């Protein structure tokens, strides 16, 4: 069977840009047409590493090229709306990294633009939707493995080895928005319930974080099915890394242990620790799983292009997690 080849342009050759390329550059339905970064040496390095046809420092040229079918936007959120607008003007399909934008007003514009142009398929990169471990846990909770309502305890704290990079991101987008959109999406996806309300507190613990910004944020959420959740995002030179992901219900609990945090058998993938009550039974479930399955995510976009499917998450689901993250961020900033 003939497989259509899609010309892909990557904009942003940073760490998440590399994660995209690592997982897609050998796909037989993809040609890496162009890799683009403001830093020319980085763009050139990506061209050589991923066998791209060309490299660019001007993203507008990469978007306008007739060889480009799909644009991957992997720059900071403040540039996403401008790049998306240009992609739509040229009729290109898009995978855009989360969060869609840094603030509510531009986020609304982003979502409206996507809805007004169904001819251009746009998938926002909520990579956990495509992660086999998260898919398994979602299924277990939906199949009543731990009962309801549940408590969702989630943290993504980083001991920043490259503080300058994190400081740049903090100046662009708050930690509770940058990563929080993933985990609010997880709250909605796992429970099938809506967020009813959120609260947020935070502060700056690093002297060079500008006034009005923060590097530690904690949000709580109440769901329409009675479940509750917290999400903690801290980036600092002194914070220890923490990847807690635990879901607790009346009939048991589920904890995700990432492959690199397992004490043993790391080659088996992620570990799901499952405890049930009242039988007090422990089970360990291995999931062979890529942490960032960008290729599977791109397949979802191609499915949207070829079969007019609505993607995962849909743009309405993206908006829901975004708007609640923005609300928690506003509450944090009010009290800084
Ligand atoms: N899905 C995930 O799990 C995940 C993980 C990390 C980061 N992200 C998201 O990815 C985005 C990028 O984060 P990162 O950690 O890769 O940052 P990064 O700093 O490592 O990379 C960003 C790159 O974009 C380049 N760039 C910036 N503006 C540009 C422009 N106008 N034209 C061309 N290149 C430009 C920079 O030079 C840099 O090389 C952010 O939105 C972040 O939230 C997502």
């Amino acid at each position: 069977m003939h497989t259509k080849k899609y010309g892909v342009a990557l904009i942003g050759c940073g760490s998440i840009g590399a994660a995209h390329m690592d997982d897609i550059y050998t796909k037989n339905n993809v040609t890496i047409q162009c890799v683009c970064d403001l830093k020319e040496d980085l763009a050139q390095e990506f061209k050589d590493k991923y066998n791209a046809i060309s490299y660019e420092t001007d993203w507008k040229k990469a978007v306008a090229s007739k060889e480009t079918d799909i644009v991957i936007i992997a720059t900071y959120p403040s540039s996403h709306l401008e790049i998306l607008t240009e992609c739509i003007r040229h009729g290109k399909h898009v995978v855009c990294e989360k969060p869609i934008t840094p603030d509510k007003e531009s986020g609304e514009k982003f979502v409206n633009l996507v809805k007004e142009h169904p001819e251009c398929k746009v998938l926002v990169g909520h990579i956990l939707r495509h992660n086999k471990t998260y898919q398994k846990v979602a299924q277990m909770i939906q199949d009543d493995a731990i009962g309801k309502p549940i408590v969702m305890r989630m943290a993504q704290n980083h001991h920043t080895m490259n503080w300058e990079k994190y400081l740049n991101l903090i100046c662009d987008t708050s930690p509770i928005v940058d990563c929080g959109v993933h985990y609010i999406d997880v709250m909605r996806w796992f429970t099938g319930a809506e967020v009813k309300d959120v609260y947020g507190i935070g502060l700056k613990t690093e002297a060079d974080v500008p006034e009005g910004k923060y590097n530690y944020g904690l949000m709580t959420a109440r769901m329409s099915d009675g479940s509750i959740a917290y999400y903690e995002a801290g980036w600092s030179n002194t914070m220890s890394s923490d990847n807690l992901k635990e879901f607790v219900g009346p009939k048991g609990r589920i904890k995700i242990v990432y492959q690199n945090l397992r004490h043993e058998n790391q080659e088996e993938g992620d570990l799901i620790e499952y405890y049930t009550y009242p039988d007090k039974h422990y089970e360990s479930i291995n999931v062979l799983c890529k942490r960032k399955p960008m290729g599977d995510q791109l397949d979802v976009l191609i499915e949207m292009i070829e079969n007019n499917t609505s993607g995962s998450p849909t743009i309405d689901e993206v908006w829901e997690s975004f708007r609640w993250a923005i609300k928690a961020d506003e509450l944090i900033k009010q009290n800084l």
Side-chain angles (χ1 to χ4, degrees), residues 126-143 145 185-186 189-191 247 254 256 258 270 272 285 287-297 299-300 311-313:
H126 281 239
I127 194 63
L128 300 177
R129 286 274 184 161
H130 314 283
N131 175 300
K132 293 201 164 27
T133 303
Y134 279 81
Q135 287 173 347
K136 169 90 183 157
V137 173
Q139 195 60 57
M140 289 172 75
I141 291 174
Q142 286 157 10
D143 290 346
D185 187 52
V186 163
W189 175 27
F190 283 12
T191 58
F247 307 89
I254 292 169
I256 297 174
Y258 290 142
D270 290 345
I272 297 173
I285 304 166
V287 188
L288 274 172
C289 170
K290 281 186 191 165
R291 187 82 179 269
K292 295 202 189 291
M294 301 304 194
D296 293 347
Q297 180 173 263
D299 287 344
V300 170
S312 177

Side-chain angles (χ1 to χ4, degrees), residues 12 14-16 37-38 42 74-77 97-98 165 178 292:
S15 48
I16 206 68
D37 203 285
L38 293 172
L42 206 50
T75 53
Y76 283 175
E97 268 308 327
K98 45 46 64 177
K165 177 182 158 165
D178 183 73
K292 295 202 189 291

Side-chain angles (χ1 to χ4, degrees), residues 10-20 36-39 42 56-60 73-80 82-83 96-100 125-128 158 165 168-169 172-173 177-179 182-183 235 291-292 294 297:
L10 171 74
I11 305 176
C13 300
S15 48
I16 206 68
H20 282 278
C36 178
D37 203 285
L38 293 172
K39 297 172 193 148
L42 206 50
E56 258 304 336
T57 51
D58 178 357
W59 63 265
K60 288 192 177 165
I73 305 175
T75 53
Y76 283 175
S78 58
S79 59
H80 291 178
E82 189 191 357
I83 301 175
C96 180
E97 268 308 327
K98 45 46 64 177
I100 47 176
H126 281 239
I127 194 63
L128 300 177
H158 295 185
K165 177 182 158 165
N168 282 339
L169 190 49
D172 191 282
T173 304
V177 176
D178 183 73
C179 287
H182 277 310
Y183 297 100
W235 304 339
R291 187 82 179 269
K292 295 202 189 291
M294 301 304 194
Q297 180 173 263

Side-chain angles (χ1 to χ4, degrees), residues 6 9 37-38 41 55 62 107 119 147 226 244 248 319:
Y6 291 90
D37 203 285
L38 293 172
D41 53 339
Y55 77 87
E119 74 283 7
L244 175 70
V248 187
W319 172 250

